[in-house]
Amino acid sequence: MTATNHSQVYARRLRAVLIRSIPLLEARGIVIVVLAGVVGVMSGALVTGMSELVQGMHWLLYGVQPGGRLSAMFSLASPVQAMIPAIGGILLGLSVIWLRKRKFRTPVDPIEANALYGGRMSLTDTFIIVGQTVLSSGFGASVGLEAGYTQVGSGLASRLARAFRLRRNDVRILVGCGAAGAIAAAFDAPLTGAFYGFELIIGIYSVANVAPVMTAAICASLTAEVFGVVPFPLELSGLPALTASQYIPFLLLGLLGGAASIAIMHLVSLIEHGFARLSIDASLRPFIGGILVGLLGLVTPQVLSSGHGALHREFAMNYGLGVVASVFVLKLAASAISLGSGFRGGLFFASLFLGALLGKVFAGVMAFASPATGIDPAVAAVVGMTSLAVGVVGAPLTMTFLALESTRDLTLTGVVLAASLMAAMLVRETFGYSFSTWRFHLRGETIRSAHDVGWMRSLTAGSMMRKDVRTIDAATTLGAFRKAVPLGSAQRVIAVDEGQHYVGVLIVAELHSEVSDGETPVRALARFKDAVLVPSMNVQTAAETFQRAGAEELAVVEDFADRVVLGLLTESHLMRRYAEELDKARRDLSGEG
């Protein structure tokens, strides 16, 4: 018996023992909550370990003192340290070569797993992402650890859920719990973590999901505190009272944050394409990116790593407008170069830092343009921080709760939420993607959220088509067709050429009522000549093809090039199967059946 089989047998036995010994666990909801608590503890411990490992690397490589932050340094101790990101790029390139030789596919992250695979995640993918993220941030690349945090929390949660043989929707919930716990532990913010799980990983907020997700977030936050993780408070004191007239400028700042987030996502893609056009191997790109990031780090270390220390510096000190604007440009360039060149990580924390800088720039400009508005730079920094992050991350409530839990100031909640919603609306209406889903789009995926659409992938034209389709030579005359296919013997026939390639659909009733010469070839009377389906088309794509063609039935062909006929699919059958599967998915989500 293999190790995998042993673990599955052990998990089944453990579950059976638990259910026999604790009758309350027969309730499915209680089981999920208990497992969510376990996931939260694991996430909190692992997030702490990753954070301490990166801090240790910064101490070893950059001489950062215990309790300090790399991005809080005023300057590098030696110009030689500017080459450290390039060394990290070399190591990351070697890992790319190693993975390529072993033909590893692109790792699946929690959003993609919950959208397409019912929450199934590979531990191999998880450890690859975690290792590359720690390597990237530890050597100073301008990326955050949050992608690694959520990957490890969700990956282990997925493995635990599958070990207990939970059903599809329960696996998805636990994956969300893992991500929620990771973010809660990273920021000491349970509500932020919980809503990260709801908005981004599970894709829906429901009463049934509250207990497990909140349990995971609270357990993770408490675990991180036990292990001594440094919390993420933003000390804001002496803030002036907000007036109604200030809401309009802050709403404008929300729109600016949304627009900036779109520009940042495009910039990362442009730099990524630029590196791809250099015609150098992908394993060498992080080395080049590391050199550029190191040079920017010589100007100011605030651009290095995730930026925790730099963000606290911006709130603690009152820099001039020119300095803040220059740091914004440098950090933006460093983050875009890091991600575009192939370093592993995300823009979660970078978007917070950039947003805070944007808010301070906005406050400085308003102080010149309209001093009467009295925009406080600290308040503007919080509003800008959440607004820009909403556009990049795609979670307005998550960022609102982050502002609330990090500042401990309820008076900011209303203006932060209003600005965040403005940013979210602008991004949704004009761009339609967060950073994660935008990268899926660049890879050719069509998902825009973690909503479960995996079942749609299995509902394909090939699985729904009728194979007993009747065909006839397209050169057949109308008179011969009427003899071969009497009225009432069939509703439709597929016209094909000598090589059995698709020509069009023949509606039998129409051809029998046709008044043209009986010598007319049926090819001339065929319909939907340019509209066909292929077996791999999912139900959504097939339905769109029916709508564009205005057809009630379409042929399914082997591929678009040869167009060899395989079968026939009607729109009514497609919509009936779609309704059946959608109803089943809704029952699974609500816990019925």
Side-chain angles (χ1 to χ4, degrees), residues 40-53:
V41 172
M42 291 192 304
S43 297
L46 290 166
V47 165
T48 304
M50 289 176 62
S51 176
E52 291 299 321
L53 178 57

Side-chain angles (χ1 to χ4, degrees), residues 289-516:
I291 293 175
L292 298 175
V293 171
L295 292 175
L296 293 174
L298 276 178
V299 179
T300 172
Q302 290 188 70
V303 306
L304 299 177
S305 195
S306 57
H308 284 74
L311 180 62
H312 283 277
R313 269 182 58 184
E314 288 300 328
F315 277 99
M317 305 182 74
N318 188 23
Y319 291 108
L321 180 60
V323 174
V324 174
S326 63
V327 173
F328 178 89
V329 173
L330 292 171
K331 178 63 177 179
L332 175 58
S335 295
I337 290 170
S338 296
L339 292 172
S341 63
F343 280 101
R344 177 71 71 175
L347 280 174
F348 189 108
F349 204 91
S351 66
L352 295 174
F353 182 34
L354 289 169
L357 295 171
L358 178 66
K360 283 206 164 186
V361 170
F362 178 80
V365 171
M366 289 296 294
F368 285 108
S370 180
T373 55
I375 299 297
D376 185 85
V379 176
V382 174
V383 174
M385 177 182 80
T386 53
S387 298
L388 195 148
V390 162
V392 171
V393 179
L397 289 177
T398 298
M399 293 307 160
T400 300
F401 280 115
L402 179 59
L404 171 63
E405 291 182 292
S406 59
T407 63
R408 313 294 201 264
D409 193 330
L410 283 171
T411 61
L412 293 177
T413 304
V415 69
V416 166
L417 179 59
S420 297
L421 292 175
M422 294 298 288
M425 180 185 68
L426 177 68
V427 174
R428 184 182 64 249
E429 295 297 327
T430 62
F431 190 62
Y433 297 93
S434 65
F435 182 66
S436 295
T437 55
W438 172 239
R439 294 181 75 78
F440 294 149
H441 170 72
L442 295 177
R443 279 169 35 197
E445 288 287 357
T446 57
I447 60 175
R448 292 179 181 242
S449 72
H451 285 287
D452 190 4
V453 296
W455 59 270
M456 294 176 62
R457 295 290 179 96
S458 61
L459 197 61
T460 62
S463 66
M464 293 183 288
M465 70 180 184
R466 286 179 47 193
K467 296 181 181 179
D468 58 338
V469 58
R470 187 168 181 178
T471 62
I472 194 168
D473 191 337
T476 303
T477 63
L478 181 58
F481 175 86
R482 289 170 175 167
K483 292 179 181 179
V485 187
L487 188 62
S489 62
Q491 292 183 335
R492 62 193 68 82
V493 177
I494 303 296
V496 296
D497 61 17
E498 294 180 356
Q500 297 300 305
H501 303 116
Y502 174 77
V503 173
V505 176
L506 302 172
I507 309 301
V508 175
E510 289 183 359
L511 267 67
H512 276 271
S513 62
E514 177 64 39
V515 296
S516 62

